[in-house]
Amino acid sequence: TNPAYRARLSGMSGHAALAQGQAEAAIPAFERAIADADSAADPSLTAGLNTDLARALVAADRAPDAVAALAAAREADPANPQAWLLSATLARRLERLGEAQRHIEYAATLAPRDPAVGLETGVIAAMAGREEQARASFQSVIEVAPESVEANRARTYLTRLDGGTQQTEPRGR
């Protein structure tokens, strides 16, 4: 009888399916969870579940549907930095660099010290040919979280920029 509780349980079911590599099975679980979160009038929960749905949709090679899920997440909770970060990442992967830039700029206003936001900011700048901005973003990641996974990636990207390599993003990112 508690829609927020049902939403969380369905979300857990979706996460379990994703963890087992079953993206197609995760999608309806997240969709049920979102419907329950909407019924519970919990915008934060709705936004989080839409970002989870977007991850499942990307894993299922349904990027256009993932774009819509991320738009729904941003609409449900405009203050959710993860929704903006994932929107930027997906837009970049779809080679929509202007859109990616707008999304990452907003994510940075919400989470200015998040190393994942800084890393994505640098990748987008590098892909847009703005090497000095990319360097500054990568360096800021190293300064903010020197022992993080993101800092290690930032170091790799800086090395590539210093070596003159145009490809700044490793395959699979």
Side-chain angles (χ1 to χ4, degrees):
T1 61
N2 182 331
Y5 184 68
R6 281 195 316 266
R8 286 182 180 88
L9 289 177
S10 291
M12 289 169 53
S13 174
H15 285 285
L18 269 180
Q20 295 174 355
Q22 299 173 358
E24 288 294 340
I27 293 168
F30 288 129
E31 290 171 338
R32 281 190 309 276
I34 291 164
D36 283 330
D38 285 342
S39 293
D42 187 333
S44 178
L45 182 58
T46 298
L49 290 166
N50 268 295
T51 60
D52 293 337
L53 173 61
R55 286 184 179 103
L57 290 164
V58 167
D61 201 27
R62 293 174 49 189
D65 294 329
V67 169
L70 289 169
R74 294 189 315 271
E75 184 177 326
D77 184 3
N80 182 323
Q82 190 68 17
W84 291 95
L85 170 61
L86 293 176
S87 296
T89 301
L90 183 56
R92 173 185 47 82
R93 288 179 179 174
L94 296 172
E95 298 182 6
R96 300 175 185 169
L97 293 182
E99 184 179 333
Q101 183 65 40
R102 287 188 299 278
H103 291 320
I104 202 62
E105 285 174 1
Y106 197 74
T109 66
L110 297 172
R113 296 185 57 82
D114 183 333
V117 171
L119 186 68
E120 185 64 28
T121 300
V123 171
I124 292 167
M127 289 184 71
R130 299 186 319 267
E131 283 192 20
E132 287 311 308
Q133 289 175 340
R135 273 182 221 291
S137 292
F138 295 145
Q139 192 59 46
S140 73
V141 171
I142 295 165
E143 290 169 9
V144 168
E147 301 303 317
S148 67
V149 170
E150 292 86 359
N152 289 335
R153 287 186 182 152
R155 287 182 191 94
T156 299
Y157 294 165
L158 282 169
T159 300
R160 289 181 182 178
L161 284 174
D162 290 339
T165 304
Q166 293 295 331
Q167 177 71 26
T168 60
E169 180 198 12
R171 302 274 182 222
R173 162 96 169 95

